[in-house]
């Protein structure tokens, strides 16, 4: 099956700094990728939809200036958490839509801890 | 508004004790209903996709069914390794570019 990777798998940063998370589709092209956030013992909440070559679409309540999304190629989308604060500590998961079999595949997630 | 509700929130079973997890949904134009398994600290692992009412799919001890309003994940004679959070999600629209909405999940615990 199709594989989606995320890097890093976990990161610790200081409050006020920025962190970039990468999401890659390894063996397929994805015109659309999605970013989710998951707090402990809660389900995945969609943050934004990332479209290759265009601006991301953010869900209601998600600050687009804080969570910068760039989908520069058909295999890579990045999420940058700017001026991170402890409340941004969460598990961030991406998914990518495979144009060939028209299914979505999820990455393994990135654990962000802001101290 | 598209919505997914899962019940129960948590379920503890004895090894070998069969049961079912429920997923109720409201969506305009269902493209697919998905079941995922998630282990702590990991991303969701795909289990099943159901596309239309009446459809059933099986994998080992798991069987997923779909009606127009809900889906069930039946677990037959579960083992401790089946312990995980099971997530139900729906996708509206016509392609993989449509967003997926998740339910809150059912935390399943199987005692040896």
């Amino acid at each position: 099956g199709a594989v989606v990777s995320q890097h890093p798998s976990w990161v610790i940063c200081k409050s006020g700094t920025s962190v970039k998370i990468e999401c890659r589709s390894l063996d397929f092209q994805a015109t659309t990728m999605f970013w989710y956030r998951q707090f402990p013992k809660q389900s995945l909440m969609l943050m934004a939809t990332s479209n290759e070559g265009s601006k991301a679409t953010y869900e209601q309540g998600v600050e687009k200036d804080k969570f910068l999304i760039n989908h520069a190629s058909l295999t890579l989308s990045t999420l940058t958490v700017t001026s991170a604060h402890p409340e941004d500590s969460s598990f961030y998961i991406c998914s990518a839509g495979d144009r060939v079999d028209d299914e979505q595949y999820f990455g393994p997630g990135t654990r962000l801890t802001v101290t | 508004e598209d919505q997914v509700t899962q019940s129960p929130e948590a379920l503890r079973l004895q090894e070998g004790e069969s049961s079912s997890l429920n997923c109720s949904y409201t969506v305009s134009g269902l493209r697919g209903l998905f079941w995922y398994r998630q282990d702590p600290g990991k991303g969701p692992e795909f289990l099943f996709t159901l596309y239309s009412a009446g459809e059933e799919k099986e994998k080992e001890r798991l069987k997923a069914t779909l009606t127009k309003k809900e889906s069930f994940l039946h677990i037959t004679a579960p083992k401790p390794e089946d312990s995980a959070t099971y997530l139900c999600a729906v996708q509206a629209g016509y392609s993989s570019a449509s967003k997926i909405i998740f339910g809150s999940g059912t935390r399943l615990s199987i005692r040896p």
Side-chain angles (χ1 to χ4, degrees):
Chain A
V3 178
V4 175
S5 70
Q6 286 185 235
H7 179 79
S9 56
W10 59 270
V11 58
I12 302 173
C13 71
K14 292 186 176 181
S15 185
T17 62
S18 296
V19 175
K20 180 185 285 188
I21 302 170
E22 292 184 350
C23 176
R24 292 183 185 272
S25 56
L26 297 185
D27 48 4
F28 67 97
Q29 293 183 332
T31 53
T32 304
M33 291 184 174
F34 300 86
W35 286 97
Y36 296 83
R37 180 168 52 185
Q38 186 176 34
F39 292 108
K41 296 189 177 181
Q42 295 186 25
S43 191
L44 282 74
M45 297 299 296
L46 181 66
M47 298 175 66
T49 302
S50 168
N51 297 296
E52 188 266 337
S54 64
K55 291 184 178 180
T57 303
Y58 291 82
E59 295 298 302
Q60 192 172 9
V62 178
E63 299 175 61
K64 62 180 180 181
D65 294 330
K66 180 171 183 61
F67 298 99
L68 301 180
I69 292 173
N70 183 281
H71 194 153
S73 76
L74 288 172
T75 59
L76 174 64
S77 175
T78 60
L79 169 68
T80 301
V81 183
T82 63
S83 186
H85 291 287
E87 55 265 33
D88 298 323
S89 298
S90 186
F91 194 48
Y92 291 87
I93 302 172
C94 74
S95 70
D98 186 340
R99 297 189 301 176
V100 174
D101 66 8
D102 208 25
E103 293 293 347
Q104 275 196 36
Y105 297 91
F106 284 81
T110 296
R111 173 75 58 193
L112 170 64
T113 301
V114 184
T115 61
Chain B
E1 182 183 343
D2 299 339
Q3 197 167 7
V4 180
T5 304
Q6 290 187 247
S7 62
E9 184 177 315
L11 182 62
R12 302 183 79 179
L13 300 172
Q14 197 70 33
E15 182 173 2
E17 181 185 0
S18 302
S19 188
S20 295
L21 313 182
N22 178 263
C23 171
S24 299
Y25 66 93
T26 55
V27 64
S28 54
L30 178 71
R31 174 180 183 267
L33 183 142
F34 307 90
W35 282 99
Y36 295 89
R37 169 189 171 131
Q38 187 177 28
D39 293 302
K42 296 187 177 181
E45 175 189 342
F46 171 78
L47 293 174
F48 304 108
T49 305
L50 300 169
Y51 293 102
S52 58
E55 189 174 0
E56 298 182 352
K57 289 191 176 176
E58 288 188 68
K59 179 181 179 181
E60 297 181 353
R61 295 178 291 281
L62 301 176
K63 179 181 178 180
T65 62
L66 180 66
T67 72
K68 288 186 177 180
K69 295 182 178 181
E70 58 191 353
S71 176
F72 292 94
L73 183 65
H74 307 277
I75 301 178
T76 303
K79 299 181 178 182
E81 53 262 41
D82 294 322
S83 297
T85 295
Y86 290 84
L87 300 170
C88 172
V90 296
Q91 184 179 38
Y94 302 97
S95 75
S96 61
S98 303
K99 62 184 180 182
I100 294 177
I101 306 299
F102 280 84
S104 55
T106 294
R107 292 192 305 278
L108 178 64
S109 175
I110 308 298
R111 300 189 300 271

